[in-house]
Amino acid sequence: MPNLPLAERLRPRNLDEYIGQKHLVGKGAVLRRAIESGRIPSMILWGPPGVGKTTLANIISNLQGRAFYSLSAISSGVKDVRDTIDQAKRQQFFNQPNPILFIDEIHRFSKAQQDSLLGAVEQGVVTLIGATTENPSFEVISPLLSRCQVYVLKSLEISDLDELLTRALTTDFDLKQLDIKIEEKEAMFRFSGGDARKLLNIIDIVVGAQEGKSPIVINNQIVEDILQENLSIYDKNGEMHYDIISAFIKSIRGSDPNGAVYWLARMIDGGEDVKFIARRLIISASEDIGLANPNAMLLANTCFESVNKIGLPEARIILSECAIYLASSPKSNSAYMAINEALSVVKEKGNLPVPLHLRNAPTKMMEKMGYGRDYKYSHDYEGHFVEQDFLPKELHGHAFYVPQPNKQEDGLRARLKNWWKGRYGY
């Protein structure tokens, strides 16, 4: 087909051509074994754009010789689902494997649409393969989710992108006709963000922009210059989703309510799911505002509940109020830093034993072994505080939480300093 995009020309036809996701489809991996055995469960493929969800569904169908039906959650309704299931039923023959029903962006299906799938999946009329960029535990109804295996797909690694670039230059008929000189790859890989489709689109754009030249040179500066001029083409498939949510969150973190509202408007105008936006606001409230203004978390949770009940167009006002409040709030990432430090220590030190005085003693034997001995009940002491050890002895005095300079945490620091008398450096 003339002018077929590079991403379509290079779409893999089998697992050996499939790049990335070795944890799922590499030699001996769990999903590959299922595919090769022919025992394919209904499944949800969860991962960012451009990592091969649709391609994998097609490969599964082709390898098994199964009929393949495809629906998009954006354009399909309950009637489309029922019509497709009826068509699958009419094509059922003795000993013939059931068809594959692939639903792209299944997280956008309403409860009624998802309910309409249940019977067909449960009875084996179809094997469902749903693709989603959102956590399915939030967006897929429990009865359907319980009938599906969830596989997590990851962004492509540098080695995967390098392999894809090499394949494009050495196997694509059109590119092989050109004299292409690769001087640097870093910008191509960086702009792709681990997205195979983006990388192939970049190659298409950069090569197309130098049509007639020989050799066609690709280096970091050329890639950056060409992509800046062709940004709308580069993102023509709506792949700015993650870039815009990143700009939105960074505007809140940077305390700019104007930037936050602008990027919010871009998402709303582009048809973004309001619950997706509201969830990101909850994350921002805990990660970026945190203990500098604990009310931010309450407002973000209320925002999520409200937009879930109200929906668009009124939800835009609720989201705007929350975004402005978070952007205008004092900032602290102390809780974020504390848990990351604690997890790092857990990974480094392993499972350190719980001090005996902090253990419960539900049996006489445990009591004799010293469980709970010398524990001091804080409420028995003045101010409901008494100094004692709450960390394993190997971590004595290790401060995971470090208050940051803001009005709220200045008060916390003073209180902790009064209690702990410098043990944690407060």
Side-chain angles (χ1 to χ4, degrees):
M1 184 182 293
N3 300 320
L4 195 66
L6 180 60
E8 288 302 317
R9 302 200 301 268
L10 284 187
R11 188 177 289 277
R13 293 160 296 180
N14 55 58
L15 290 177
D16 291 332
E17 293 180 359
Y18 190 86
I19 294 176
Q21 317 310 326
K22 292 180 176 61
H23 64 294
L24 294 178
V25 296
K27 298 293 184 183
V30 57
L31 184 53
R32 188 180 190 119
R33 292 200 307 270
I35 295 170
E36 291 175 343
S37 72
R39 295 187 295 271
I40 309 296
S42 287
M43 68 185 77
I44 304 293
L45 303 177
W46 171 27
V51 296
K53 297 187 290 294
T54 303
T55 297
L56 190 52
N58 276 292
I59 288 174
I60 291 171
S61 174
N62 291 336
L63 288 179
Q64 298 299 320
R66 301 191 186 202
F68 186 82
Y69 301 101
S70 179
L71 295 174
S72 170
I74 294 176
S75 57
S76 304
V78 172
K79 183 178 184 301
D80 299 299
V81 174
R82 288 175 177 160
D83 288 347
T84 302
I85 291 171
D86 287 341
Q87 189 176 350
K89 286 179 179 177
R90 289 195 296 271
Q91 292 191 5
Q92 284 183 311
F93 299 101
F94 183 69
N95 281 340
Q96 184 171 334
N98 56 357
I100 300 288
L101 173 56
F102 176 70
I103 299 181
D104 196 18
E105 299 193 81
I106 194 170
H107 59 278
R108 292 183 181 268
F109 256 11
S110 67
K111 182 180 182 299
Q113 289 169 306
Q114 293 185 39
D115 280 337
S116 67
L117 292 167
L118 276 174
V121 172
E122 194 168 41
Q123 296 161 24
V125 175
V126 296
T127 294
L128 173 67
I129 302 181
T132 178
T133 56
E134 296 298 313
N135 188 331
S137 63
F138 291 134
E139 303 294 349
V140 179
I141 60 174
S142 296
L144 186 58
L145 193 60
S146 68
R147 290 163 173 79
C148 296
Q149 178 68 47
V150 176
Y151 295 110
V152 180
L153 284 73
K154 304 172 183 177
S155 295
L156 269 63
E157 298 177 357
I158 294 296
S159 59
D160 297 324
L161 296 172
D162 200 29
E163 182 182 352
L164 182 59
L165 173 62
T166 300
R167 181 176 296 176
L169 297 177
T170 58
T171 66
D172 181 69
F173 178 82
D174 292 345
L175 293 183
K176 285 196 298 182
Q177 312 306 309
L178 304 173
D179 181 11
I180 299 175
K181 182 179 180 182
I182 305 289
E183 294 180 346
E184 295 171 310
K185 307 173 184 177
E186 188 272 333
M188 283 192 292
F189 295 165
R190 172 163 44 86
F191 276 101
S192 75
D195 181 325
R197 185 169 56 246
K198 273 192 173 185
L199 176 60
L200 296 175
N201 286 345
I202 290 169
I203 297 169
D204 250 348
I205 293 168
V206 172
V207 170
Q210 300 182 69
E211 187 176 358
K213 292 184 179 180
S214 186
I216 292 173
V217 176
I218 298 179
N219 59 38
N220 292 344
Q221 190 61 56
I222 289 172
V223 169
E224 289 173 2
D225 290 345
I226 291 175
L227 289 187
Q228 288 300 321
E229 293 175 4
N230 295 274
L231 193 59
S232 61
I233 299 174
Y234 171 52
D235 284 303
K236 65 184 178 182
N237 293 320
E239 295 166 357
M240 291 183 74
H241 167 87
Y242 287 97
D243 295 336
I244 291 181
I245 194 66
S246 174
F248 177 60
I249 294 302
K250 286 173 180 172
S251 297
I252 292 174
R253 183 180 300 143
S255 300
D256 186 353
N258 300 295
V261 169
Y262 170 75
W263 295 116
L264 173 61
R266 286 281 299 273
M267 287 188 286
I268 292 172
D269 183 66
E272 185 59 81
D273 182 359
V274 293
K275 289 188 290 183
F276 170 81
I277 302 171
R279 281 198 298 273
R280 294 311 183 273
L281 289 171
I282 294 174
I283 295 168
S284 179
S286 58
E287 180 180 345
D288 297 316
I289 290 90
L291 292 164
N293 179 10
N295 285 332
M297 176 66 85
L298 299 176
L299 187 69
N301 270 296
T302 302
C303 172
F304 179 83
E305 293 173 4
S306 299
V307 301
N308 198 28
K309 293 174 185 175
I310 302 301
L312 288 171
E314 289 81 3
R316 76 190 191 284
I317 308 167
I318 301 166
L319 290 168
S320 178
E321 177 183 348
C322 186
I324 290 169
Y325 181 85
L326 298 188
S328 304
S329 288
K331 304 297 187 296
S332 171
N333 69 342
S334 59
Y336 170 82
M337 298 296 288
I339 189 60
N340 284 353
E341 168 68 8
L343 288 169
S344 176
V345 168
V346 168
K347 183 173 288 189
E348 178 187 348
K349 303 287 187 182
N351 296 321
L352 297 175
V354 176
L356 284 177
H357 71 283
L358 296 180
R359 303 186 193 187
N360 285 329
T363 68
K364 287 290 184 183
M365 185 181 74
M366 289 179 174
E367 192 174 330
K368 287 180 181 179
M369 292 172 64
Y371 283 35
R373 188 182 303 160
D374 300 325
Y375 171 67
K376 300 170 184 176
Y377 187 60
S378 299
H379 297 297
D380 288 341
Y381 296 83
E382 183 179 352
H384 302 271
F385 175 82
V386 60
E387 187 172 350
Q388 59 187 320
D389 291 324
F390 291 99
L391 285 171
K393 63 181 180 180
E394 296 88 345
L395 299 176
H396 181 80
H398 189 120
F400 295 100
Y401 169 58
V402 179
Q404 295 181 359
N406 56 73
K407 184 178 179 181
Q408 186 75 23
E409 287 187 281
D410 286 345
L412 294 180
R413 180 187 291 274
R415 189 179 308 139
L416 292 168
K417 183 177 181 180
N418 180 58
W419 283 337
W420 292 106
K421 312 299 183 188
R423 174 185 294 196
Y424 295 109
Y426 300 137

